[in-house]
Amino acid sequence: MWRKALTLLPHRPFSSTPEIPTLYSFLQPSVFALKRDLPPSQKSHSDLPTPPPKTLAPDHITTLETTLHKSLITHNTDEAWKSFKTLTGSSAFPSKSLTNSLITHLSSLGDIHNLKRAFATVVYVVEKNPGFLDFETVGTLLDAMKCANTAAPAFALIKSVFKNRFFLPFSVWGNVLVEISRKNSNFIAFLRVFEENCRIALDEKLEFMKPDLAACNAALEGCCRELESVSDAEKVVETMAVLGVRPDESSFGYLAYLYALKGLEEKITELEGLMGGFGFPNKRVFQSNLINGYVKSGKLESVSATVLRILREGDGECLNLGEETYCEVVKGYLMNASVKELATLIIEAQKLESSTVMVDRSVGYGIVNACVHIGLSDKAHSILDEMNAQGGSLGLGVYVPILKAYCKEHRTAEATQLVMDISNSGLQLDMGTYDALIESSMSSQDFQSAFSLYRDMREARISDLKGSYLTIMTGLMENHRPELMAAFLDEVVEDPRIEVGTHDWNSIIHAFCKAGRLEDARRTFRRMIFLQRKPNEQTYLSLISGYVSVEKYFCVLMLWHEVKRNVSVDGEKGIKFDHNMVDAFLYALVKGGFFDAVMQVVEKSQEMKVFVDKWRYKQAFMETHKKLKVSKLRKRNFRKMEALVAFKNWAGLNA
């Protein structure tokens, strides 16, 4: 192969005949007539020689060139094309710059009709006056053909270039034709122009026509994967050697695939030796292609043997095959109903894998993840069952892909059960997996699964529990489940890894009050105080709002007695007695008729210099106590009477 050097490559005669039908359809309605030469017996009178075209006068040529130039500037495409046809029809050519400008303009318009014109113009100029063409102009046309996905004209153009010995640098057209051939699965056409180009480059000793490594690999890939031809592939290799194109890992990979497909074990061994000689220590591409070749050939025992051999030679380090390769392996085994063999492969691989191999780099993870990726989660379960049946130990890598699939599919109950199985087997999930599963459970409103997962997370001694704690609390609040929030908080409140703050208790109290469950709110409040969590102004605002909504004003009075003992004087310690607190207490106490407490709040607000809008409390009084008479209160309760008079004086109601 690369050790050999060929002095001469066999010459394959070039023929554009197969492209004529496709080109003909591309050029219809015709721009230039594209006809095959017919034998004399079949020629009609229309094919008889015609008189030569009339020669244009110099001033007429100048006028046509001027018209062509102005038409291009003003984007009058049809007029420009008319001028060009008139010139060329009389065997005259516009200047080189005008010719290239016309082709560039036609190529840039993005429609097939003008692309036909550009193609016909280039072919005509190549045949009649190739010196007028710039390489860049041809590249522009080819790029336009790539965008329009017109394969046949692109290949025909390059063949015309070769035929007329107008030698283009490979960089102008090579990669474009590679892309076009891949898009159209037309590798044979690319291989023909590739071989012809290489022959010319060697015969004419033209360095600029030598293909680059990417093009050589494209030709090699086509021979190995599409043609599956050893002789053609090795011919490309020999061409690379003669041209001095150094192979890379992909070059070896394509050959590895082909040799594995054909069962050429000696050549595979030779390839591995050559890789070392070229200094390629990373054999990932080679190994992936080798395994894919064995899978394609149906030699599953060779797949297993190769995987285990690679692990042994690498001292148990990760195989690093990639998801695509694992998917092909899984498809190959399952096509032959070989779940048992897949399970055996994972068990044997686990015995060889180093303890330092990351979970998502293990063979077990790769295979099970591939099952999940191609939509065969049930087969992933079958592999687990088969491994258990064979008495094999199940590494964490086998479980993780299934857990991720459950998470994505919101099958949270099954995921939770699998987590329990993992924990019981002595394995431990990482924090990220727990967080993802808990988030999925909360999104599915499967709160019990979320709680179970969080308990398991705590028992697994995961250090950072904050993320999942917040996920659960936020989810319960959004779903209006304060009773579960309270129960969950009770369960975790003494865990030193979790910082349960006043805001957490406030969230529960607020949710209970909003739902009208004031007894539960009161119990949570008492529990909060019992656990020595100090309530703040938000705690009391939620409770006041709740009590007012059901007209339990006496409960607000009890809260006031508690708050007035803990009001912060300096704004640092105690409860912040701001406008919101003053307003909430005043409104509730006025509505409840507790005017003694009302005046205590007024006094405290004046002391704290908090502005009070009296109008709101006048309205509250008039709505509730309009018929309340001071004279009646004087007889029953002198103190209440004094408080009422003080309030009315303060609010301006006596006037």
Side-chain angles (χ1 to χ4, degrees), residues 283-415:
K283 295 185 178 181
R284 185 186 68 83
V285 176
F286 177 87
Q287 293 163 350
S288 295
N289 278 276
L290 186 65
I291 290 170
N292 284 337
Y294 284 133
V295 171
K296 179 74 181 295
S297 68
K299 298 170 185 173
L300 301 182
E301 67 283 353
S302 295
V303 174
S304 297
T306 302
V307 168
L308 298 177
R309 176 176 64 83
I310 294 169
L311 283 172
R312 277 193 293 269
E313 291 175 356
D315 295 324
E317 292 303 314
C318 66
L319 205 58
N320 198 22
L321 289 180
E323 186 175 76
E324 185 179 346
T325 301
Y326 277 117
C327 286
E328 291 301 315
V329 169
V330 167
K331 289 175 187 175
Y333 274 87
L334 296 182
M335 195 178 295
N336 293 278
S338 299
V339 170
K340 183 177 181 180
E341 284 74 11
L342 272 177
T344 302
L345 175 57
I346 295 173
I347 291 171
E348 294 302 316
Q350 285 180 166
K351 293 176 183 177
L352 295 172
E353 284 173 331
S354 168
S355 59
T356 60
V357 170
M358 294 175 65
V359 169
D360 59 357
R361 296 290 186 179
S362 67
V363 173
Y365 178 91
I367 290 173
V368 176
N369 184 59
C371 289
V372 172
H373 182 76
I374 60 180
L376 298 173
S377 298
D378 56 327
K379 295 298 183 184
H381 276 290
S382 299
I383 292 171
L384 293 185
D385 295 340
E386 181 60 37
M387 289 179 70
N388 281 320
Q390 293 185 29
S393 62
L394 274 68
L396 198 57
V398 181
Y399 288 110
V400 169
I402 302 177
L403 281 175
K404 287 183 177 179
Y406 284 157
C407 186
K408 187 176 180 180
E409 297 165 9
H410 297 288
R411 296 164 62 181
T412 50
E414 293 162 273

Side-chain angles (χ1 to χ4, degrees), residues 389-492:
Q390 293 185 29
S393 62
L394 274 68
L396 198 57
V398 181
Y399 288 110
V400 169
I402 302 177
L403 281 175
K404 287 183 177 179
Y406 284 157
C407 186
K408 187 176 180 180
E409 297 165 9
H410 297 288
R411 296 164 62 181
T412 50
E414 293 162 273
T416 302
Q417 182 56 53
L418 195 57
V419 169
M420 301 304 113
D421 294 342
I422 293 170
S423 298
N424 292 336
S425 67
L427 299 171
Q428 181 176 316
L429 294 168
D430 60 15
M431 181 185 69
T433 303
Y434 274 115
D435 286 346
L437 289 168
I438 288 172
E439 186 170 350
S440 178
S441 298
M442 294 305 296
S443 298
S444 304
Q445 298 185 16
D446 183 0
F447 305 131
Q448 294 308 317
S449 291
F451 294 155
S452 297
L453 288 165
Y454 197 76
R455 289 188 199 102
D456 197 81
M457 193 178 183
R458 290 173 62 198
E459 290 169 6
R461 302 187 183 280
I462 301 292
S463 59
D464 189 355
L465 301 171
K466 185 176 181 179
S468 289
Y469 166 76
L470 292 174
T471 298
I472 292 175
M473 288 293 285
T474 303
L476 293 173
M477 177 178 289
E478 289 174 351
N479 286 279
H480 311 294
R481 299 299 300 269
E483 74 285 357
L484 294 180
M485 292 172 71
F488 177 62
L489 206 60
D490 248 6
E491 185 177 327
V492 303

Side-chain angles (χ1 to χ4, degrees), residues 73-93:
I73 292 173
T74 59
H75 298 283
N76 189 344
T77 304
D78 289 338
E79 187 63 34
W81 179 245
K82 181 181 175 182
S83 300
F84 178 76
K85 284 185 69 177
T86 303
L87 284 165
T88 54
S90 302
S91 298
F93 264 94

Side-chain angles (χ1 to χ4, degrees), residues 204-250:
E204 304 291 336
K205 297 182 174 57
L206 299 173
E207 284 292 323
F208 64 81
M209 286 190 69
K210 289 184 179 180
D212 57 13
L213 176 60
C216 291
N217 276 344
L220 190 58
E221 180 184 10
C223 292
C224 295
R225 290 190 171 270
E226 291 188 37
L227 299 183
E228 298 179 355
S229 168
V230 174
S231 60
D232 283 329
E234 292 187 345
K235 193 169 187 178
V236 173
V237 169
E238 290 164 354
T239 301
M240 292 171 66
V242 174
L243 293 172
V245 178
R246 191 176 190 273
D248 64 0
E249 291 94 335
S250 295

Side-chain angles (χ1 to χ4, degrees), residues 605-640:
S605 69
Q606 291 171 344
E607 179 186 333
M608 304 294 293
K609 297 181 181 178
V610 177
F611 172 76
V612 176
D613 182 4
K614 300 177 184 180
W615 177 254
R616 173 170 159 77
Y617 315 113
K618 285 183 184 181
Q619 290 291 104
F621 180 85
M622 296 302 292
E623 289 171 2
T624 313
H625 310 292
K626 187 176 181 180
K627 296 181 180 180
L628 184 63
K629 303 295 183 182
V630 173
S631 57
K632 291 182 179 180
L633 277 178
R634 186 181 293 118
K635 296 177 181 178
R636 289 183 293 176
N637 192 318
F638 184 76
R639 186 177 174 184
K640 282 187 177 181

